[in-house]
Amino acid sequence: MIYVFYAKIISELFFPSGLSPFWAMLNTYGIFAAGYFFRPLCGMVMAHFGDLIGRKRLFSLSILLMALPTLMTGVMPTFESIGYAASLLLLLMPLKCRVQPSSCKCSVVLLQAYRQTAWVQAK
């Protein structure tokens, strides 16, 4: 959600200034959308690891793996510094966020809420 508020700033910083504002914004939203293509696949893979190492550990790892790419995006050099590599790095950051356990985070939270509710009702 926050990505939408900063889309104009991101399009100005990570794409060439000669690019029309429409195409810069379209590229920015396209990069954001590209991350969602990985979400179902990563959800299936990480759900398997959640069963192996435990959902609580995977949920904690999920938070860490969302925070690091977000921090890296904040300190990443702009288009003026490294050229088209900035656009490519910007594409890789949301993908890193999607290739992590938060894809199954919603189901983990719902499962934990269900277990707590069942435990309280059993008393």
Side-chain angles (χ1 to χ4, degrees), residues 51 55 105-117:
D51 292 337
R55 296 184 187 272
K105 180 171 45 180
C106 184
S107 61
V108 172
V109 170
L110 291 175
L111 179 65
Q112 294 291 3
Y114 173 75
R115 286 180 179 171
Q116 290 296 330
T117 305

Side-chain angles (χ1 to χ4, degrees), residues 77-115:
T78 62
F79 184 83
E80 298 296 324
S81 303
I82 60 172
Y84 286 101
S87 302
L88 183 62
L89 286 172
L90 186 64
L91 175 64
L92 294 176
M93 289 306 129
L95 295 183
K96 286 183 182 177
C97 283
R98 301 298 181 254
V99 181
Q100 43 88 13
S102 77
S103 304
C104 59
K105 180 171 45 180
C106 184
S107 61
V108 172
V109 170
L110 291 175
L111 179 65
Q112 294 291 3
Y114 173 75
R115 286 180 179 171

Side-chain angles (χ1 to χ4, degrees), residues 23-71:
W23 289 109
M25 287 294 283
L26 191 65
N27 288 339
T28 304
Y29 289 130
I31 285 175
F32 181 66
Y36 281 98
F37 287 116
F38 284 93
R39 198 162 218 164
L41 174 66
C42 295
M44 290 185 289
V45 171
M46 292 312 211
H48 171 71
F49 287 116
D51 292 337
L52 290 177
I53 66 170
R55 296 184 187 272
K56 186 175 181 180
R57 287 185 185 163
L58 199 68
F59 188 65
S60 299
L61 180 65
S62 167
I63 294 169
L64 178 69
L65 289 176
M66 280 191 315
L68 291 178
T70 304
L71 176 69

